[in-house]
Short mmCIF file of all heavy atoms in Angstrom, two decimals:
data_model
loop_
_atom_site.label_atom_id
_atom_site.label_comp_id
_atom_site.label_asym_id
_atom_site.label_seq_id
_atom_site.Cartn_x
_atom_site.Cartn_y
_atom_site.Cartn_z
N LYS B 115 93.80 91.04 97.70
CA LYS B 115 94.27 92.19 98.47
C LYS B 115 95.46 91.71 99.33
O LYS B 115 95.33 90.83 100.09
CB LYS B 115 93.21 92.76 99.39
CG LYS B 115 93.56 94.03 100.10
CD LYS B 115 92.39 94.64 100.83
CE LYS B 115 91.43 95.25 99.88
NZ LYS B 115 90.36 96.03 100.53
N SER B 116 96.64 92.40 99.12
CA SER B 116 97.87 91.95 99.78
C SER B 116 98.23 92.88 100.94
O SER B 116 99.02 92.51 101.76
CB SER B 116 99.02 91.85 98.79
OG SER B 116 99.21 93.10 98.15
N ALA B 117 97.70 94.09 100.95
CA ALA B 117 98.07 95.04 101.98
C ALA B 117 97.04 96.15 102.09
O ALA B 117 96.42 96.51 101.07
CB ALA B 117 99.45 95.62 101.74
N VAL B 118 96.87 96.69 103.31
CA VAL B 118 96.11 97.93 103.52
C VAL B 118 96.99 98.82 104.38
O VAL B 118 97.31 98.51 105.53
CB VAL B 118 94.79 97.61 104.27
CG1 VAL B 118 94.03 98.92 104.54
CG2 VAL B 118 93.88 96.65 103.50
N LEU B 119 97.42 99.94 103.80
CA LEU B 119 98.39 100.82 104.42
C LEU B 119 97.74 102.08 104.92
O LEU B 119 97.09 102.81 104.15
CB LEU B 119 99.55 101.12 103.45
CG LEU B 119 100.16 99.91 102.75
CD1 LEU B 119 101.21 100.35 101.70
CD2 LEU B 119 100.74 98.96 103.74
N GLN B 120 97.91 102.38 106.18
CA GLN B 120 97.19 103.50 106.82
C GLN B 120 97.93 104.81 106.59
O GLN B 120 99.14 104.92 106.73
CB GLN B 120 97.05 103.25 108.33
CG GLN B 120 96.27 104.33 109.04
CD GLN B 120 94.79 104.36 108.70
OE1 GLN B 120 94.12 103.34 108.83
NE2 GLN B 120 94.35 105.52 108.25
N GLN B 121 97.18 105.89 106.20
CA GLN B 121 97.71 107.22 106.12
C GLN B 121 96.99 108.13 107.14
O GLN B 121 96.10 107.65 107.82
CB GLN B 121 97.58 107.76 104.71
CG GLN B 121 98.50 107.08 103.74
CD GLN B 121 98.78 107.89 102.43
OE1 GLN B 121 99.52 107.47 101.62
NE2 GLN B 121 98.22 109.09 102.36
N ASP B 122 97.34 109.41 107.15
CA ASP B 122 96.78 110.33 108.16
C ASP B 122 95.57 111.08 107.65
O ASP B 122 94.85 111.71 108.43
CB ASP B 122 97.82 111.35 108.59
CG ASP B 122 99.02 110.70 109.31
OD1 ASP B 122 98.79 109.63 109.92
OD2 ASP B 122 100.12 111.22 109.24
N ASP B 123 95.37 111.09 106.31
CA ASP B 123 94.28 111.86 105.72
C ASP B 123 93.83 111.19 104.43
O ASP B 123 94.42 110.21 103.98
CB ASP B 123 94.75 113.29 105.48
CG ASP B 123 93.59 114.31 105.53
OD1 ASP B 123 92.43 113.88 105.34
OD2 ASP B 123 93.83 115.48 105.79
N TRP B 124 92.78 111.76 103.82
CA TRP B 124 92.30 111.23 102.57
C TRP B 124 93.37 111.11 101.53
O TRP B 124 94.23 112.00 101.36
CB TRP B 124 91.20 112.15 102.02
CG TRP B 124 89.94 112.20 102.87
CD1 TRP B 124 89.68 111.54 104.07
CD2 TRP B 124 88.82 113.02 102.56
NE1 TRP B 124 88.46 111.91 104.50
CE2 TRP B 124 87.86 112.80 103.64
CE3 TRP B 124 88.44 113.85 101.54
CZ2 TRP B 124 86.63 113.44 103.67
CZ3 TRP B 124 87.19 114.49 101.57
CH2 TRP B 124 86.31 114.24 102.62
N ILE B 125 93.36 110.05 100.73
CA ILE B 125 94.26 109.84 99.65
C ILE B 125 93.62 110.34 98.34
O ILE B 125 92.52 109.89 97.98
CB ILE B 125 94.68 108.37 99.47
CG1 ILE B 125 95.36 107.87 100.73
CG2 ILE B 125 95.51 108.15 98.24
CD1 ILE B 125 95.60 106.38 100.79
N SER B 126 94.26 111.28 97.72
CA SER B 126 93.69 111.90 96.53
C SER B 126 94.12 111.29 95.20
O SER B 126 93.40 111.27 94.22
CB SER B 126 94.00 113.43 96.50
OG SER B 126 95.42 113.59 96.42
N SER B 127 95.36 110.77 95.21
CA SER B 127 95.96 110.29 93.95
C SER B 127 97.00 109.25 94.22
O SER B 127 97.66 109.29 95.28
CB SER B 127 96.50 111.44 93.13
OG SER B 127 97.33 112.28 93.94
N ILE B 128 97.24 108.37 93.26
CA ILE B 128 98.18 107.28 93.41
C ILE B 128 98.91 107.03 92.10
O ILE B 128 98.32 107.07 91.02
CB ILE B 128 97.49 105.94 93.81
CG1 ILE B 128 96.69 106.09 95.08
CG2 ILE B 128 98.46 104.77 93.89
CD1 ILE B 128 95.75 104.96 95.36
N ARG B 129 100.26 106.83 92.19
CA ARG B 129 101.01 106.39 91.02
C ARG B 129 102.07 105.39 91.44
O ARG B 129 102.84 105.62 92.35
CB ARG B 129 101.72 107.60 90.34
CG ARG B 129 100.81 108.46 89.53
CD ARG B 129 100.27 107.73 88.33
NE ARG B 129 99.36 108.55 87.53
CZ ARG B 129 98.04 108.60 87.71
NH1 ARG B 129 97.45 107.82 88.64
NH2 ARG B 129 97.30 109.33 86.96
N ILE B 130 102.05 104.23 90.76
CA ILE B 130 103.02 103.18 91.01
C ILE B 130 104.20 103.45 90.06
O ILE B 130 104.01 103.75 88.87
CB ILE B 130 102.41 101.80 90.68
CG1 ILE B 130 101.13 101.57 91.53
CG2 ILE B 130 103.41 100.69 90.91
CD1 ILE B 130 100.33 100.33 91.05
N HIS B 131 105.40 103.35 90.62
CA HIS B 131 106.61 103.62 89.82
C HIS B 131 106.71 102.61 88.70
O HIS B 131 106.52 101.42 88.94
CB HIS B 131 107.86 103.60 90.70
CG HIS B 131 109.04 104.25 90.04
ND1 HIS B 131 109.76 103.66 88.99
CD2 HIS B 131 109.67 105.45 90.26
CE1 HIS B 131 110.74 104.45 88.64
NE2 HIS B 131 110.69 105.56 89.38
N PRO B 132 107.03 103.04 87.47
CA PRO B 132 107.10 102.08 86.32
C PRO B 132 108.23 101.06 86.39
O PRO B 132 108.16 100.03 85.75
CB PRO B 132 107.27 103.01 85.11
CG PRO B 132 107.87 104.27 85.68
CD PRO B 132 107.28 104.39 87.05
N SER B 133 109.29 101.36 87.17
CA SER B 133 110.39 100.39 87.21
C SER B 133 110.95 100.12 88.62
O SER B 133 111.56 99.06 88.82
CB SER B 133 111.57 100.89 86.33
OG SER B 133 112.03 102.16 86.75
#
Side-chain angles (χ1 to χ4, degrees):
K115 187 172 289 188
S116 58
V118 178
L119 310 177
Q120 182 69 57
Q121 291 201 179
D122 297 331
D123 207 336
W124 295 359
I125 298 172
S126 61
S127 50
I128 301 168
R129 284 294 178 267
I130 303 169
H131 197 285
S133 58

